């Protein structure tokens, strides 16, 4: 193996490693984003449930007066 071939192999391995690392980071960021969005969704659903319960209470109280 010549020096040129060895250097070419090293550069190619570095390029493949860089691409793999970039893809790994992108996947990790996507997983983190998905977890954040799931948490936001769950929080929104809890708030909505509280709002619905509050509305049901108002309806029950005003419905009994009629």
């Amino acid at each position: 193996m010549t020096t040129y071939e060895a250097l070419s192999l090293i550069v190619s391995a570095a390029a493949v490693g860089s691409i793999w690392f970039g893809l790994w980071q992108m996947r990790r960021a996507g997983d983190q984003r998905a977890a954040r969005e799931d948490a936001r969704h769950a929080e929104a659903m809890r708030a909505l449930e509280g709002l619905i319960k509050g509305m049901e209470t108002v309806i029950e109280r005003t419905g009994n007066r009629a």
Side-chain angles (χ1 to χ4, degrees):
M1 179 180 282
T2 66
T3 303
Y4 176 77
E5 290 172 333
L7 289 175
S8 178
L9 182 63
I10 291 170
V11 169
S12 297
V16 169
S18 295
I19 291 170
W20 177 85
F21 183 70
L23 291 172
W24 175 77
Q25 281 187 321
M26 287 172 51
R27 180 177 177 116
R28 187 171 155 232
D31 291 345
Q32 289 173 346
R33 184 173 40 253
R36 279 193 313 269
E37 292 302 319
D38 288 346
R40 284 183 185 165
H41 177 73
E43 182 181 346
M45 291 297 104
R46 284 191 301 272
L48 183 59
E49 287 173 4
L51 178 64
I52 290 172
K53 287 180 182 179
M55 291 174 67
E56 288 173 346
T57 301
V58 169
I59 291 169
E60 287 173 5
R61 289 181 182 171
T62 57
N64 292 336
R65 292 182 184 171

